[in-house]
C-alpha cells in the first residue's frame, strides 16, 4: 500500500480512536507562558543566534512534522522548526477556535525549547481554506484558468488569506504552477492551464493576494510538475511523480517562467517536486535545486521537500537526508519519521556528509522565513477569525460564474427562469463532487451537503421557485432536461487514469444511465460537466442542445446558475485542450500541427458573451 495512504490511514485511526496525540494537551493548551528565549529583531540577530545554536537545535529547525505525529512536548524537546497539516488532518475541534488553540499551544511549546525559535505552520489551502468545516471553497485552479481573470485571482488570494489567518496558520502550500501537459494526470485540476504564460499571469496576483494578507506562499512543485510522461509514474502510478523525458530546454520553456514570475513576486518558499527529470529524482538533484534555482533564478527563499518525497531518492534514510539537504532542500517534510530524520541530520553533520556551512545555510533560511513572517514578535498568540464569510462567498460565486465554459448552444441557453426543468445526473446535487479533492479530506468526499455548500440543484431550485418555474420529477412534464455528469473526487496519484470516458473508473457512477435517461425523455438536453478535467463526450454531444463545462466549482453553486439563467454572460474559455480520444490526452496548444488535429475543442474555445 502506498506509504502516503498508510500515513493517512494512521492519521484517520488516531482521529477516529480519539487518541489524537494533541487532544489532551490541545484542550489544556497552556498558552499563558511568555514565548521565546531569543528575540530576533534584525537579520544580524539571526546570524548571531545561529552561531550560538547547537547541532541538535539546528537539526530540529530542518524538520517539518505532521500535527498528528508529534506531541507538544516534542516540539520543545527537539526544537522543531515547522508543523504541517496533511490533507484532511485537522484538530478535533475543527473550528477557528480549535485551530487557534492548537496553534497557540504549539507555539508555546516552541517558545519553551532551548533555542526558543517559533514554529511555522503550513497547510494546503488550495481552493480556499479547504481544511476547515464550512470554509468557502473556491473553484479549483483549472476553473480559475478558464476564468482567466488576474484581478479575481488577487481577490481570491486575499480571501484565502483571511480564512487561513482566521485559524492562526502562517503558511499556505500554494500556488501550484504546474502547466498540465497530459490531462490523464491526477493533478490536472490543480493546474491553471496547459500554457505556462497563463499560469504565470494567474499565479502572481494570487501570490500577491495571499502575501498582502500576511500568508507565506509556496510555489510548487519545482520542477517538472505536469510535464511527466504517461506510463512513467512512480510505482503503480500511471503518470504522477513520473519522469520528465522532454529536453531540459523544453522543460525550462514550459515550466520555468512561472517560477521566475513567482520569485519576482516575492514568493518565499518553493516546494520540490516528486518527479524525476531525465531519470533523476528532483529531490536529490543539486543541479536543479541549487544550480538552477539559486544561481540561475536567484531564488533566496526556502526549499521545502514534499511529503516523504526524500524516501525514494536513496536506499536508506541517512543517505536520503544527506542527499536531499546537500541538493538544496532546507526543510524536510517528514510527517511521521521525523525523529529518525532528526538523528540522521545530526549523524550526517558529525560525519561531515552535511557540512556545518550547509547546515547553517538551511537553518538561516528557516529562521529568516519565520522572521519575515513576523513570528518572532514577543506576543504571538493568535485569535480566531471568521471563515465562510459573505464577502468571501461573493468572491467565490463570481469566480464560479466566470469559470463556466459554454461549448455548445443551439439556442437553448440561457435557461428560462419560468421553465419546468427535469434535472438528472450524479453531479446534480452533491457539493462534495463540486469540490473535488483537497477538501474535507485529502481525496475529497462524495458528500451532498459538504460544508453547507450550494449544489447545482439547490441553486436551480432557488432561481426557478422565485420566477414561476420549477424542477419537475417527471421528464414528461418538463420543457427541457438538464443533465449533470462528472468525476468522483480524487487527489494526486489517485486521479491518474488511462480512461477519460464518462464511464471510466474515476467517472461518477450513473453518468451513462443519466445520459441514456435524458435521451429517452425526448426533450432538449443541456449537459453540465462537473469534473477536474475534460472527459470524452464525442459519442454523446450530438444529442445535446447545450453543453457547459463547470470544472470543480466548490461550495458556491449559485455562481453556476448566475450564468446558466443569464444574469451573467458566459466568459470562460478552455485552459486545456479537449481531446476526442484518450490518445489525444497529451495534446496541447504548444505542439506543432495543433490546429490540424481534430480535437473535441481547442485550447481557448468558449462561446463568450453568449447570449
Ligand atoms: C502532497 C502534495 C503537496 C502538498 C503536500 C502537503 O503530497 O504533493 O502538493 O503540499 O503533500 O500536504
Amino acid at each position: 500500500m502506498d506509504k502516503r495512504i498508510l500515513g493517512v490511514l494512521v492519521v484517520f485511526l488516531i482521529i477516529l480512536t480519539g487518541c489524537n496525540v494533541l487532544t489532551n494537551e490541545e484542550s489544556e493548551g497552556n498558552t499563558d507562558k511568555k514565548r521565546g528565549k531569543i528575540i530576533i529583531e534584525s537579520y544580524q540577530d539571526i546570524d548571531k543566534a545561529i552561531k550560538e545554536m547547537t547541532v541538535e537545535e539546528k537539526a530540529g529547525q530542518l524538520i517539518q512534522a505532521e500535527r498528528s505525529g508529534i506531541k507538544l512536548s516534542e516540539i520543545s524537546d527537539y526544537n522543531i522548526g515547522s508543523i504541517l497539516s496533511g490533507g484532511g488532518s485537522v484538530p478535533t475541534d475543527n473550528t477557528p477556535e480549535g485551530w487557534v488553540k492548537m496553534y497557540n499551544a504549539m507555539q508555546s511549546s516552541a517558545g519553551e525549547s532551548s533555542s526558543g525559535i517559533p514554529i511555522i505552520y503550513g497547510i494546503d489551502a488550495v481552493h480556499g481554506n479547504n481544511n476547515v468545516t464550512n470554509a468557502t471553497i473556491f473553484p479549483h485552479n483549472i476553473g480559475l484558468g478558464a476564468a482567466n481573470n488576474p484581478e479575481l485571482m488577487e481577490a481570491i488570494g486575499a480571501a484565502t488569506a483571511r480564512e487561513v489567518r482566521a485559524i492562526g496558520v502562517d503558511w499556505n502550500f500554494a500556488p501550484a504552477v504546474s502547466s498540465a501537459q497530459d490531462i490523464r494526470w491526477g493533478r490536472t485540476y490543480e493546474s491553471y492551464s496547459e500554457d505556462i504564460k497563463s499560469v504565470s499571469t494567474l499565479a502572481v496576483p494570487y501570490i500577491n493576494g495571499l502575501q498582502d494578507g500576511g500568508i507565506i506562499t509556496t510555489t510548487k512543485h519545482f520542477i517538472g510538475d505536469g510535464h511527466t510522461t504517461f506510463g512513467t509514474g512512480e510505482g503503480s502510478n500511471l503518470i504522477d511523480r513520473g519522469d520528465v523525458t522532454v529536453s531540459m530546454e523544453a522543460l525550462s520553456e514550459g515550466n520555468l517562467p512561472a517560477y521566475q514570475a513567482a520569485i519576482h513576486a516575492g514568493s518565499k518558499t518553493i516546494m520540490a517536486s516528486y518527479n524525476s527529470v531525465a531519470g533523476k529524482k528532483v529531490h536529490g538533484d543539486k543541479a536543479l535545486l541549487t544550480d538552477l534555482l539559486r544561481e540561475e533564478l536567484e531564488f533566496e527563499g526556502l526549499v521545502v521537500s514534499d511529503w516523504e518525497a526524500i524516501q525514494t531518492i536513496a536506499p536508506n534514510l541517512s543517505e536520503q537526508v544527506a542527499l536531499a539537504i546537500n541538493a538544496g532542500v532546507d526543510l524536510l517534510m517528514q510527517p511521521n519519521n521525523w525523529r529518525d530524520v532528526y538523528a540522521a541530520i545530526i549523524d550526517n553533520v558529525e560525519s561531515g556528509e552535511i557540512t556545518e556551512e550547509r547546515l547553517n545555510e538551511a537553518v538561516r533560511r528557516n529562521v529568516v522565513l519565520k522572521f519575515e513572517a513576523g513570528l518572532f514578535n514577543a506576543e504571538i498568540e493568535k485569535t480566531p477569525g471568521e471563515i465562510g464569510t459573505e464577502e468571501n462567498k461573493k468572491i467565490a460565486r463570481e469566480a464560479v460564474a466566470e469559470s463556466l465554459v459554454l461549448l455548445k448552444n443551439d439556442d437553448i441557453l440561457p435557461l428560462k427562469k419560468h421553465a419546468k426543468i427535469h434535472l438528472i445526473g450524479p453531479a446534480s446535487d452533491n457539493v462534495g463532487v463540486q469540490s473535488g479533492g483537497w477538501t474535507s479530506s485529502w481525496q475529497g468526499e462524495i458528500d451532498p451537503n459538504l460544508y453547507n455548500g450550494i449544489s447545482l440543484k439547490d441553486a436551480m431550485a432557488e432561481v426557478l421557485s422565485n420566477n414561476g418555474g420549477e424542477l419537475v420529477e417527471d421528464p414528461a412534464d418538463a420543457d427541457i432536461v438538464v443533465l449533470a455528469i462528472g468525476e468522483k473526487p480524487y487527489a494526486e496519484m489517485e486521479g491518474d487514469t488511462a480512461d477519460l470516458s464518462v464511464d471510466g473508473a474515476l467517472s461518477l457512477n450513473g453518468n451513462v444511465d443519466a445520459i441514456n435517461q435524458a435521451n429517452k425523455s425526448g426533450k432538449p438536453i443541456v449537459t453540465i460537466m462537473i469534473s477536474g478535467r475534460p472527459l470524452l463526450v464525442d459519442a454523446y454531444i450530438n444529442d445535446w442542445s447545450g453543453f457547459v463545462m463547470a470544472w470543480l466549482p466548490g461550495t458556491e453553486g449559485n455562481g453556476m446558475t448566475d450564468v446558466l439563467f443569464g444574469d451573467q454572460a458566459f466568459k470562460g474559455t478552455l485552459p486545456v485542450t479537449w481531446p476526442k480520444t484518450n490518445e489525444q490526452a497529451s495534446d496541447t496548444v504548444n505542439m506543432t500541427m495543433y490546429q490540424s488535429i481534430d480535437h473535441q475543442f481547442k485550447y481557448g474555445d468558449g462561446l463568450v458573451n453568449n447570449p
Side-chain angles (χ1 to χ4, degrees), residues 230-249:
F230 188 79
T232 68
E234 182 183 78
S236 58
N237 303 347
L238 289 169
I239 182 169
D240 193 37
R241 309 182 186 189
D243 190 23
V244 175
T245 59
V246 296
S247 69
M248 194 57 211
E249 185 195 354

Side-chain angles (χ1 to χ4, degrees), residues 251-411:
L251 175 59
S252 300
E253 195 182 320
N255 203 197
L256 274 190
Y259 288 95
Q260 287 160 318
I263 291 166
H264 182 70
S267 184
K268 296 185 185 302
T269 75
I270 281 179
M271 188 179 292
S273 194
Y274 280 111
N275 58 263
S276 304
V277 174
K280 188 169 182 182
K281 283 281 180 185
V282 169
H283 273 78
D285 193 340
K286 190 167 187 290
L288 297 175
L289 294 183
T290 299
D291 303 345
L292 176 59
L293 185 54
R294 303 290 180 183
E295 279 138 44
E296 267 192 62
L297 299 189
E298 298 179 337
F299 177 60
E300 295 178 355
L302 176 136
V303 172
V304 60
S305 59
D306 205 337
W307 181 286
E308 298 186 338
I310 68 168
Q311 292 168 207
T312 61
I313 67 174
N316 62 62
L317 187 63
S318 183
E319 289 177 52
Q320 293 157 10
V321 166
L323 182 57
I325 290 177
N326 288 335
V329 173
D330 303 305
L331 180 64
L332 296 165
M333 187 190 292
Q334 288 300 124
N336 299 301
N337 70 348
W338 57 267
R339 296 169 193 80
D340 298 335
V341 171
Y342 175 86
I345 294 170
I346 294 168
D347 291 349
N348 275 298
V349 172
E350 285 169 355
S351 71
E353 195 59 41
I354 297 173
T355 63
E356 188 79 26
E357 182 195 2
R358 173 61 191 122
L359 176 67
N360 290 343
E361 179 183 63
V363 171
R364 189 177 196 283
R365 287 173 179 155
N366 278 279
V367 178
V368 164
L369 178 68
K370 292 186 260 197
F371 173 61
E372 292 177 347
L375 292 173
F376 279 96
N377 301 339
E379 278 313 313
I380 188 177
E381 277 189 20
K382 305 290 183 75
T383 49
E386 262 195 291
I387 53 154
T389 63
E390 285 316 306
E391 177 189 12
N392 292 349
K393 287 178 186 295
K394 192 161 170 285
I395 296 167
R397 178 174 181 170
E398 178 60 25
V400 173
E402 295 191 24
S403 70
L404 262 60
V405 183
L406 178 60
L407 293 164
K408 181 175 183 182
N409 187 12
D410 296 345
D411 291 332

